[in-house]
Amino acid sequence: MAESVGRAVRRAVYGGVLYPAAQLVSGRSFVRVRRRLEEAQWEDAATVREGQWRRLSALLCHAYDTVPYYRKLMEEAGLKPESLASDDFHLLPVTTRRDLKGGSGVSGVRLDMVSTAVDATRLRPLRTAGTTGTPVVFYRDPALDDWGHATAALFNSWAGI
């Protein structure tokens, strides 16, 4: 009994006071993202699919508009991102690890030319482990860190942590 009360108090203090205060001070969005993930876990399959397609469509349009490699791939396949429907997903060209690693142009994009919506000075270079011989370098916006932390927290909550 005392353990469950202690757990409830910790959850209330962390979830209701400390995390929101840290978010407010830091300008981060961990709590907002966590709440969104908690709501999303109960959405029906159709709502999830619609949201996934809406976000993927926006990503495809962005890639087409800002990365010559992806524009070329889609044009060669006769595709325009804005005209794709969710059941056309199988038509999208696949980018392989080989494409990422070697002279295809996908990894040769200048960061200052990526998009006006991206602050390239914020991007952090990351790399794969290189277990296939050569690591692949990619760039990640630190804003995604909140999604990673919120996802881990949600998964942990399922395990009672």
Side-chain angles (χ1 to χ4, degrees):
M1 174 73 175
E3 183 177 322
S4 63
V5 170
R7 182 180 296 157
V9 169
R10 279 193 308 276
R11 182 173 289 157
V13 169
Y14 279 97
V17 178
L18 294 179
Y19 284 144
Q23 175 176 285
L24 185 64
V25 170
S26 69
R28 308 271 311 257
S29 60
F30 169 84
V31 175
R32 180 183 52 78
V33 171
R34 168 84 188 269
R35 286 189 183 126
R36 173 64 189 114
L37 291 173
E38 287 173 346
E39 293 167 6
Q41 71 181 329
W42 306 114
E43 291 174 350
D44 63 273
T47 302
V48 170
R49 278 192 300 275
E50 188 275 325
Q52 288 172 331
W53 183 252
R54 187 180 64 254
R55 289 185 299 277
L56 179 58
S57 292
L59 178 63
L60 291 171
C61 288
H62 173 75
Y64 184 87
D65 291 340
T66 61
V67 183
Y69 170 80
Y70 289 116
R71 179 189 315 260
K72 180 180 175 225
L73 271 186
M74 286 188 236
E75 286 177 350
E76 287 175 353
L79 303 173
K80 294 278 189 196
E82 64 275 359
S83 64
L84 290 172
S86 60
D87 57 345
D88 294 333
F89 184 77
H90 68 282
L91 300 174
L92 294 172
V94 175
T95 298
T96 66
R97 184 177 183 86
R98 176 176 281 150
D99 294 330
L100 291 171
K101 286 169 60 172
S104 63
V106 67
S107 59
V109 177
R110 286 183 26 207
L111 289 180
D112 61 339
M113 299 299 288
V114 170
S115 169
T116 56
V118 174
D119 178 2
T121 62
R122 290 175 38 98
L123 300 179
R124 287 193 311 236
L126 300 171
R127 64 181 60 230
T128 62
T131 55
T132 61
T134 308
V136 173
V137 177
F138 58 97
Y139 295 86
R140 182 173 148 187
D141 188 328
L144 291 176
D145 292 347
D146 288 336
W147 282 91
H149 296 308
T151 301
L154 179 64
F155 292 169
N156 286 340
S157 75
W158 294 343
I161 300 172

